[in-house]
Amino acid sequence: MAGALPVDGVPGDQVLDEIRALRAGDAPTHGGRLFAYVYDPAVVGLDELAHAAYGLSAHVNGLDPTAFPSLLAMENALVGAAAALLGGGPVGGGLTSGAPGASSGAPDVVGSVTSGGTESLILAVKAARDARPEVTAPRLVVPASAHAAFAKAAHYLGVRVDTVPVSPVTLRPDPADVAAAIGPDTVLVVCSAPSYAHGVIDPVEQIASLAAEAGVRCHVDACFGGWSLPWLRRLGRPVPAFDFTVPGVTSISVDLHKYAYTPKGVSVLLHRDPSLRRPQYFAYADWPGYTMINPGVLSTRSGGPIAAAYAVLRHLGEAGYLALAQTTLTAVDVLADAVRATDGVRLLAEPESTVVCFMASDPAVDVFVLADELAARGWHTQPQMSYGDIPASIHLSVAASVADEAPSFADALADAVSAAQAHGPVTLPPELAAMLGALASHGSSASPGPALTPDVVAALAGQLGLGSPSAGGAPSPSSSPLPERMAVVNTVLDLAPPSLREHLLIEFLSLLQRPTY
């Protein structure tokens, strides 16, 4: 297409055809073979219900609840459902037992609906920082396995991060290390339930107790597990306490667009009581316009995602979520057994939630090559870089839709491992290795410095097969600027020190995000 804004209007059917053509190059969002980014319950009719609810409120603005009280009612119901599930009130409160206005759990637990987990985590850090105005150099204590969004929050909010190492064996932080990291300027301590990368649950009870003893807030990042772990516990799986039943836990984040299976983006940030939430708000009246009051980062918010989430939760109810959790558990067990039965790979961690994470056990198996081989067989996984003593791995976020496909994964994995062994580890071309080495040795630990010039970036991108978006013509999956196989790209990123990796990804993304005319 020549540009997004043609001189004359384009018929609607043609525009939809263009979008369908573009979507043809995307990873599949349904079908149970994509293990990251999307969560498919495979419930017949649920997409149609969510789309209809989305359309009913798409043009409603969450900026002013006095103008649109429907969104206030639905948000309060979503918060009530999350609070009830996470120890904030009787199970059965909120959406699963009644319409807006029904009991939503214990009155002290409050919360806000956000656009996603990152916004929830930013707001948790903001509330903790602003609650301690006397601290001029606030600090945040996080395990190394905590989600990168905490680093983003700290960067945006001027908070320093104190990172606690995690054991390469347990993949968890030692509570004693957390205690040692807490100082007079610490405003928030973080733990994960579970960590996204490996799916293991941090020792929340010990960490929350240490934080409370120090007079510091403790946030549990349950964005990934908050809507799955309670159901897994009901099904008999051993799930340690991680929610508001744990003394010292002051806030919890839970994403509804993960295992509540709502459209993106809807997350909930909960606080143990209203006083803890108050610093989260932003208000401003010193200008001629309306007085701005926002609970979150966004001001204008479409009601579409909120209404869609409300419809999905109301429709599925407790029985629906329990059944989906059982289906997901079955898929997790089948996938984990497939890894255990395949020579050349092994589980990095025994599954504790809805994550299966595995690594190579044979030096001839390169996990980045293996990820490409699985993708060639229709299985779209998420390769993860090495970190300290933790090896590179492959991450599978398992949704309910995977259950039907999971039995065929074992053969695909064995076949992909054999292909990866035959291929061998990635060997970088000499000129590419030299370029990477020069960049890694240049500059400080915080920046590669002037060595990363536009010409160097362009040359490196060319070596990796990263192009630019199509500058014209009809949209087509074949016009993708990304290489079909990513093993070489991932190898380069894995070998680069984290600071260089960050800069390289920024430059690569900048190359990809260019206007078309």
Side-chain angles (χ1 to χ4, degrees), residues 43-56 261 263 304 307-317:
V43 174
V44 176
L46 194 64
D47 279 353
E48 291 76 12
L49 172 66
H51 295 165
Y54 193 111
L56 286 173
Y261 294 113
Y310 174 81
V312 169
L313 267 67
R314 291 285 292 160
H315 180 66
L316 290 176

Side-chain angles (χ1 to χ4, degrees), residues 7 41 125 128 133 161 172 193 231 295 298 315-316 324 335-336 375 387-388 407 411 481 492 506:
V7 175
V125 176
V161 177
R172 296 177 177 85
W231 307 111
L298 306 180
H315 180 66
L316 290 176
L324 288 169
L335 295 173
Y387 180 85
D411 287 343
V492 166
I506 288 171

Side-chain angles (χ1 to χ4, degrees), residues 190-206:
V190 167
C191 41
S192 304
S195 61
Y196 176 82
H198 307 121
V200 301
I201 302 169
D202 288 343
V204 174
E205 289 184 291
Q206 297 100 309

Side-chain angles (χ1 to χ4, degrees), residues 39 72 149 175 201 203 222 376 386 388-389 414 474 511:
Y39 299 82
L72 178 63
I201 302 169
S386 58
D389 293 330
L511 283 178

Side-chain angles (χ1 to χ4, degrees), residues 88-510:
V91 173
L95 286 184
T96 57
S97 67
S103 171
S104 59
D108 285 340
V109 174
V110 296
S112 305
V113 175
T114 74
S115 63
T118 295
E119 185 182 1
S120 289
L121 300 186
I122 289 173
L123 292 172
V125 176
K126 178 192 182 301
R129 183 199 67 174
D130 290 0
R132 299 279 304 279
E134 77 282 4
V135 177
T136 57
R139 306 185 76 91
L140 173 68
V141 172
V142 301
S145 54
H147 198 280
F150 285 107
K152 184 177 183 178
H155 177 74
Y156 282 3
L157 297 170
V159 176
R160 299 292 297 273
V161 177
D162 294 314
T163 302
V164 176
V166 298
S167 164
V169 177
T170 68
L171 304 171
R172 296 177 177 85
D174 186 329
D177 291 337
V178 175
I182 298 174
D185 292 332
T186 303
V187 296
L188 184 66
V189 176
V190 167
C191 41
S192 304
S195 61
Y196 176 82
H198 307 121
V200 301
I201 302 169
D202 288 343
V204 174
E205 289 184 291
Q206 297 100 309
I207 291 174
S209 176
L210 291 168
E213 185 178 341
V216 177
R217 295 183 183 214
C218 177
H219 179 80
V220 176
D221 175 15
C223 286
F224 188 80
W227 206 272
S228 60
L229 293 176
W231 307 111
L232 301 189
R233 181 186 288 128
R234 288 205 210 179
L235 292 169
R237 289 298 171 103
V239 176
F242 70 93
D243 56 18
F244 286 120
T245 61
V246 177
V249 170
T250 55
S251 57
I252 303 174
S253 51
V254 51
D255 288 357
L256 302 188
H257 60 220
K258 289 187 171 72
Y259 288 98
Y261 294 113
T262 73
K264 298 186 181 299
V266 183
S267 177
V268 174
L269 174 62
L270 300 169
H271 295 275
R272 186 176 283 275
D273 63 59
S275 67
L276 292 168
R277 180 178 62 174
R278 196 160 292 114
Q280 171 190 315
Y281 287 95
F282 175 82
Y284 191 78
D286 192 16
W287 75 301
Y290 66 93
T291 298
M292 177 182 284
I293 171 68
N294 300 142
V297 174
L298 306 180
S299 292
T300 287
R301 295 179 298 138
S302 169
I306 295 166
Y310 174 81
V312 169
L313 267 67
R314 291 285 292 160
H315 180 66
L316 290 176
E318 290 188 30
Y321 282 116
L322 195 62
L324 288 169
Q326 180 62 74
T327 302
T328 304
L329 267 183
T330 299
V332 168
D333 291 343
V334 170
L335 295 173
D337 284 344
V339 175
R340 295 186 188 102
T342 304
D343 292 335
V345 294
R346 70 170 179 86
L347 292 170
L348 185 59
E350 285 295 323
E352 296 182 4
S353 56
T354 55
V355 171
V356 175
C357 184
F358 60 95
M359 57 173 282
S361 59
D362 178 355
V365 176
D366 184 323
V367 293
F368 303 133
V369 174
L370 178 57
D372 282 347
E373 294 295 340
L374 284 167
R377 289 158 177 79
W379 297 89
H380 304 273
T381 64
Q382 190 171 50
Q384 300 181 138
M385 311 299 160
S386 58
Y387 180 85
D389 293 330
I390 301 173
S393 60
I394 290 181
H395 167 106
L396 311 179
S397 290
V398 184
S401 62
V402 175
D404 288 341
E405 295 290 329
S408 63
F409 182 74
D411 287 343
L413 179 61
D415 191 37
V417 167
S418 294
Q421 289 169 326
H423 182 284
V426 169
T427 301
L428 297 182
E431 61 272 21
L432 183 56
M435 193 180 303
L436 181 63
L439 288 172
S441 63
H442 235 82
S444 69
S445 60
S447 170
L452 201 59
T453 64
D455 288 343
V456 169
V457 170
L460 185 56
Q463 288 278 343
L464 295 174
L466 299 172
S468 299
S470 175
S476 169
S478 63
S479 64
S480 171
L482 301 173
E484 287 188 12
R485 290 183 171 247
M486 295 293 292
V488 174
V489 176
N490 285 327
T491 298
V492 166
L493 295 175
D494 190 51
L495 291 173
S499 61
L500 175 59
R501 188 188 308 164
E502 292 163 2
H503 283 81
L504 286 174
L505 286 171
I506 288 171
E507 295 297 336
F508 292 160
L509 186 59
S510 179

